[in-house]
């Protein structure tokens, strides 16, 4: 596990960007790389993802998909296909996510999948999910912990 403290949104984005680059280097051979994000509203999950998407070379802006549960972006890097941004904020049962083709998405070798509010679908997260928690220290300070199943970043 690694622990990070950030003092402003730009630092949280930078952390996301660094992690994305790390993942591009460490391509998994067992299905998609899944990242599960958890933590309270305003914790910085979407902010982190904006940096993360930038690190993947995605040009589109990442927004909090309030009414959209799943968004798909193309990754323009050799060996990769799609970046999925899933937000489970409005999800009550894992079944709702399964209904969106979740199993197929996470078995695609060339996909990177990030799930906000991942704790809502804990029981269907793949074993190699990287777990990232966001906690408030005060208004602008966040504690971000990364639990990498194979190694620490
Ligand atoms: P979540 O997706 O977890 O609900 P967001 O990323 O949408 O959170 O919102 C985080 C909010 O907190 C933003 O308004 C952002 O400007 C603010 N913020 C202040 N300090 C930080 C920080 N260190 N890291 C991330 N966001 C921060
Ligand atoms: Mg969010």
């Amino acid at each position: 596990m690694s622990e990070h403290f950030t003092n402003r949104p730009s630092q949280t984005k930078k952390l996301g960007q660094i992690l994305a680059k790390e993942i591009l280097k460490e391509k998994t051979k067992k299905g998609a790389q899944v990242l599960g994000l958890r933590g309270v509203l305003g914790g910085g999950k979407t902010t982190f993802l904006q940096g993360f998407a930038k690190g993947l070379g995605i040009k589109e802006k990442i927004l909090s998909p309030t009414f959209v549960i799943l968004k798909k972006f193309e990754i323009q890097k050799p060996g990769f296909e799609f970046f999925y941004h899933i937000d489970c904020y409005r999800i009550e049962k894992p079944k709702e996510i399964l209904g969106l083709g979740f199993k197929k998405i996470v078995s695609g070798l060339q996909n990177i999948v990030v799930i906000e509010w991942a704790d809502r679908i804990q029981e269907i997260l793949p074993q190699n999910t990287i777990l990232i928690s966001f906690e408030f220290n005060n208004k602008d300070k966040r504690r971000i912990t990364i639990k990498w199943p194979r190694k620490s970043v």
Side-chain angles (χ1 to χ4, degrees), residues 71-98:
K71 276 204 83 176
K72 180 180 175 183
F73 305 86
E74 207 172 321
I75 306 175
Q76 312 260 2
K77 303 269 180 199
F80 289 90
E81 200 165 19
F82 297 110
F83 167 59
Y84 288 89
H85 178 195
I86 300 176
D87 193 321
C88 295
Y89 185 57
R90 280 163 204 284
I91 289 296
E92 279 166 17
K93 296 192 198 88
K95 221 173 150 183
E96 295 168 51
I97 290 292
L98 290 173

Side-chain angles (χ1 to χ4, degrees), residues 6-122:
T6 66
N7 297 304
R8 47 185 171 273
S10 61
Q11 292 177 351
T12 297
K13 282 184 197 167
K14 188 78 196 168
L15 183 63
Q17 194 178 349
I18 291 167
L19 184 64
K21 292 195 169 151
E22 194 75 21
I23 287 170
L24 289 178
K25 274 194 281 173
E26 291 252 338
K27 190 168 166 15
T28 170
K29 292 176 189 69
K30 291 191 204 138
Q33 180 58 67
V34 180
L35 283 83
L37 275 49
R38 57 190 174 193
V40 291
L41 203 65
K45 299 180 291 299
T46 301
T47 303
F48 178 88
L49 277 189
Q50 288 167 350
F52 186 84
K54 189 176 172 199
L56 296 181
I58 289 164
K59 302 278 186 305
E60 291 135 284
K61 181 129 176 80
I62 305 292
L63 303 167
S64 226
T66 319
F67 295 104
V68 186
I69 293 171
L70 188 145
K71 276 204 83 176
K72 180 180 175 183
F73 305 86
E74 207 172 321
I75 306 175
Q76 312 260 2
K77 303 269 180 199
F80 289 90
E81 200 165 19
F82 297 110
F83 167 59
Y84 288 89
H85 178 195
I86 300 176
D87 193 321
C88 295
Y89 185 57
R90 280 163 204 284
I91 289 296
E92 279 166 17
K93 296 192 198 88
K95 221 173 150 183
E96 295 168 51
I97 290 292
L98 290 173
L100 299 172
F102 185 76
K103 284 270 156 72
K104 193 161 176 235
I105 291 169
V106 298
S107 59
L109 284 172
Q110 301 177 313
N111 294 337
I112 296 176
V113 184
V114 173
I115 306 166
E116 292 193 51
W117 301 94
D119 38 322
R120 309 227 164 143
I121 59 161
Q122 192 88 40

